[in-house]
Amino acid sequence: MDEPQALAAFAALAQEHRLRLVRSLVIAGPDGLASGVLAEAVGVSAATVSHHLKELNNAGLVASRRAGRSIIYSAAYPVLSDLIAFLMRDCCQGRPEVCAPALAALTTCCPPSGETAHA
């Protein structure tokens, strides 16, 4: 991820409802959620959620797919991972203990395959 892509992602996330939408989609996992469910979860109208999802999609933070008459949205995990990597890429300057808390938080949330996360 380069700086312009990171700026677009942060600009899209710098709004209360959009941040809540992305967090809801991250929690939902790869199966995603229908836009109506997202509207309820965030507490906005269908039209408002559509606007916010469009902005998040333009920034590459969400993906969508049609399932019958519904549109299902999911977090764009590779882009979110790239955004985190962009922030952490030059971290530490040879002092890994500086980044250890952030890495530990990610490991707890997203354990390597075959392991379970701690609550």
Side-chain angles (χ1 to χ4, degrees), residues 3-4 21 23-24 28 31-32 46-47 63 67 71 89-90 92 95 97 104 108 111 116-117:
E3 191 170 289
L21 286 167
R23 293 199 58 181
S24 295
D31 291 338
I71 297 177
R89 183 177 305 130
D90 300 319
C92 308
R95 296 179 29 224
E97 72 277 5
T108 301
T116 56

Side-chain angles (χ1 to χ4, degrees), residues 52-106:
H52 289 310
L53 289 167
K54 177 183 162 199
E55 293 297 319
L56 292 168
N57 187 54
N58 289 343
L61 298 170
V62 301
S64 63
R65 68 183 187 284
R66 186 163 291 283
R69 295 179 60 177
S70 297
I71 297 177
I72 306 298
Y73 291 88
S74 56
Y77 291 100
V79 176
L80 291 170
S81 294
D82 286 350
L83 186 59
I84 293 167
F86 174 83
L87 288 174
M88 303 299 289
R89 183 177 305 130
D90 300 319
C91 180
C92 308
Q93 295 188 14
R95 296 179 29 224
E97 72 277 5
V98 173
C99 296
L103 296 175
L106 289 173

